[in-house]
Structures are given as C-alpha cells and as structure tokens.
Amino acid sequence: MEIQLIKCHGSGNDFLLIDEWTNGYSFTEEDRRNLSVTLCDRESSLGADGILFVLESKKADAKMRIFNSDGSEASMCGNGLRCLGRYVCELLNKDEIVVETMKADLKVTKDEELYSEVPTYRVEISPVLFDLESLPMHLEGKNTLLNEKVPKLSETISFSAVAVPNPHLIAIVGKEQIASDEQKQIAEYLNGPNPVCPDGVNVSFVHSIEPGKIYVRTFERGVGFTNACGTAMSASTLISCLLGYNKLEEVVEVYNNGGKVRCETHKKANGDYWIDLIGNATYLYDASVEISLEHPASFRVAEKKERDEQEQYDKLGREVKGLLQTTVFA
C-alpha cells in the first residue's frame, strides 16, 4: 500500500505524522507498532522519535495516538501534540481545536511566533498528578516525592516525581551533574527491569540558568536521550516553580538541545495544576511510502518533497546553542 506522511518536529523532537482519518487508512494495533519500529529506525531512509497517528474523534476535533520508535505507545507527547495540532488546525481551518489523547482532551491554539516565521502552537498539558502510584513509582513509605533523595538512585541528587500524565522524574542540578554520566546511569536503570519504576519513566536533569530561564535534558522512556520532550519541559517548569526557582502564572523560557519553548504554569481554585506548553511545529518534508503491512521492513520512499521551514528554526537553534555554551556548558 501507499502511505502519505509528513516529517515534522517540535523542539527537535521529530515525528512522522500519518493521517489515518482523512486518508482512510485502517491500521491494526500491530500495524501501528510495526510501522513505528520500521519507519522510525534511524538507519532507514526516514527515521524519527515516533509516529503521530491522526484519527477521528467522537468527542473532540481529532484524536492523537503516538507510538515511540521502539513500538511502545505513549499516553501523551507535548511536542507531538503541537505538530498534530497544527495539522488538524490547518485541515479544519481553525486557530483553536481540542484533541483527544489517551487520558485527556486537550486544547491546542495557534500562538504568537516563538521566533520570526516559526509556526508556533500552545498546547494544554494536563492532568498533573503527584501521587507516586500514577507513574507508577514504588518507594517504601512514600506517596509523593518532591525534592527528596532516593538512595537507590543517588546519594547526592534530590528528585521530584510527577505524571502529566506521562511519568516524569526530575532533578534540578548543577553544571557538574549536567556534564557527568549520572543521568544516563539512573535513566537506564529505571527503564530496564527494576522495582522502583516497573513501567519505566522519563528522567530529566534541569539546570536553572536564571529566574525565568531553565535548561532541560531528558532521557525519554522508549526513546533514550532526545533533543526535547514536551511533557518533560512542562513538568520541569512546574517543579521549578514549586521549588521557588520560578513563579506560577509567569512565562518561563525553557531551553533544550533542540531549541527552546515557553511554559506557563497555572493553579486552579481546587489546587490542581495545568501547564501551557508553547513552541514550534515545524514541517520538514512530505513523503509517499510504498510498504507492505505484512512485511514493513521492505518499504520504499516513492516521493519526498522538502519544505522550507527549517531554515528559520535553525537560526533560533544557533542562538540557543550560543546561550547554552556560555551558561550551562561553560
């Protein structure tokens, strides 16, 4: 069969977007897993962190399902939601939509440009859950974790845990921890067979640059180190506010290896939190792929049409790299 797709990225976190809804594709769960493993393989002619599947929704403007490059399904992805949100907004000719995800219906809005000529979208990140069972994370005698040491993981680093609803373990660290291999060791342990996070967890190291600016590097469950993880940047911003590095209801510039986003955390009257994640949704190219669902490894890219949006994002990336070299990696 022939599959149409768009290669896109949010903060360098790249995806293949496949519209099942309007193209009339009907994939099984096994098909989606196999397509994700095959097409996202970095050794192939495509490669990506995951696939965004656009489906019809009976209660929202569209439905998003996202499969990681290892074939596992993520409950949410902030960077991916911006890309899929842009696609659906343009498809329906709307500036604001609601997208059904695995655990919540989330608003996506076209926003003020992050950088000149960079398509920018604001997405809602919620629900926010602090109980360890929601990750799940098993620590004897604890129901929540906020800036506390976990001896099984490190004797020196303090961690906070939150699900948004993807599970995140976050540590605010100094430059020396950023430069070390501690994050890799901790993340690989927690994403292998282990008693603490049996389903795996996203692990982020966060460095506070100055009030209103943080750097976030994430080892993403099912992916490994990625240029950026939208829910991780959102969760990290919230934790930075709760620990006094930043303030609720104020925009925080969040820098990552793929560029930057803006995040703004909010608190409801009932005490619950939600986060606005604001960043790019950049299209790289459109492609047509000839593939057999029974034997997906033998796929062929029949046609590829490049977009011209990446040049402006590269300019933003160069500015971010320069800032990080002097503030984080110096």
Side-chain angles (χ1 to χ4, degrees):
M1 70 178 294
E2 186 173 283
I3 296 176
Q4 305 295 324
L5 60 83
I6 297 173
K7 179 70 175 288
C8 52
H9 79 83
S11 301
N13 192 189
D14 62 345
F15 308 95
L16 305 174
L17 185 150
I18 298 177
D19 179 357
E20 289 192 47
W21 178 20
T22 63
N23 284 317
Y25 306 144
S26 182
F27 299 133
T28 65
E29 295 300 284
E30 185 179 6
D31 290 338
R32 295 188 187 97
R33 287 192 294 270
N34 291 340
L35 286 170
S36 300
V37 170
T38 301
L39 300 183
C40 294
D41 184 352
R42 295 291 180 183
E43 300 299 318
S44 76
S45 53
L46 295 174
D49 287 331
I51 295 184
L52 305 169
F53 292 97
V54 184
L55 296 95
E56 183 178 10
S57 172
K58 298 186 183 302
K59 58 178 182 175
D61 291 289
K63 181 177 181 179
M64 177 179 83
R65 295 188 66 184
I66 175 167
F67 283 74
N68 297 317
S69 58
D70 67 351
S72 62
E73 184 172 9
S75 55
M76 232 294 281
C77 173
N79 292 329
L81 181 58
R82 295 201 309 274
C83 293
L84 182 140
R86 173 188 172 181
Y87 178 83
V88 175
C89 280
E90 292 177 349
L91 178 69
L92 302 180
N93 194 29
K94 293 183 176 181
D95 287 337
E96 183 176 304
I97 59 168
V98 175
V99 176
E100 177 186 350
T101 69
M102 185 184 291
K103 295 188 177 180
D105 300 336
L106 302 174
K107 186 166 69 173
V108 182
T109 308
K110 188 174 183 180
D111 208 80
E112 179 184 352
E113 290 178 349
L114 186 73
Y115 189 85
S116 177
E117 296 180 49
V118 171
T120 300
Y121 285 77
R122 174 188 296 257
V123 299
E124 174 189 346
I125 304 297
S126 68
V128 175
L129 308 168
F130 292 101
D131 57 292
L132 294 182
E133 190 56 39
S134 64
L135 277 80
M137 185 176 190
H138 304 314
L139 295 175
E140 188 175 351
K142 289 189 179 297
N143 297 318
T144 61
L145 186 71
L146 183 63
N147 201 38
E148 296 182 59
K149 290 185 174 62
V150 181
K152 289 182 180 179
L153 305 181
S154 172
E155 294 291 344
T156 58
I157 298 173
S158 296
F159 294 94
S160 300
V162 61
V164 292
N166 286 354
H168 292 276
L169 190 65
I170 296 160
I172 298 182
V173 300
K175 295 179 185 179
E176 62 277 8
Q177 280 88 18
I178 293 291
S180 75
D181 63 354
E182 289 181 90
Q183 183 179 9
K184 182 175 185 291
Q185 293 174 357
I186 293 167
E188 287 181 345
Y189 167 70
L190 290 173
N191 286 283
N194 75 95
V196 181
C197 293
D199 296 340
V201 66
N202 302 289
V203 180
S204 294
F205 272 23
V206 180
H207 181 67
S208 178
I209 299 171
E210 62 181 55
K213 293 182 180 180
I214 60 175
Y215 166 74
V216 178
R217 183 178 66 193
T218 301
F219 187 104
E220 191 170 352
R221 181 180 63 169
V223 178
F225 279 111
T226 183
N227 282 324
C229 172
T231 56
M233 293 184 291
S234 303
S236 296
T237 302
L238 173 59
I239 295 300
S240 79
C241 291
L242 296 181
L243 297 182
Y245 293 92
N246 293 300
K247 296 180 180 180
L248 298 175
E249 308 298 338
E250 292 187 5
V251 172
V252 177
E253 302 279 340
V254 185
Y255 297 87
N256 53 68
N257 291 344
K260 78 168 186 176
V261 299
R262 299 186 186 111
C263 288
E264 188 173 349
T265 57
H266 311 279
K267 189 174 184 179
K268 301 177 183 178
N270 66 0
D272 290 343
Y273 295 92
W274 89 95
I275 307 137
D276 281 331
L277 171 65
I278 307 156
N280 75 300
T282 299
Y283 289 172
L284 300 175
Y285 58 76
D286 304 86
S288 175
V289 176
E290 293 182 358
I291 191 168
S292 165
L293 294 179
E294 290 75 24
H295 306 285
S298 59
F299 78 90
R300 182 178 74 88
V301 178
E303 185 179 0
K304 183 185 287 188
K305 184 179 179 182
E306 300 287 341
R307 301 264 190 154
D308 61 1
E309 299 180 6
Q310 183 61 24
E311 183 177 350
Q312 283 302 106
Y313 192 80
D314 285 340
K315 292 180 181 178
L316 168 63
R318 287 192 289 271
E319 290 187 10
V320 169
K321 185 177 180 180
L323 181 143
L324 294 180
Q325 287 295 341
T326 59
T327 60
V328 179
F329 304 125

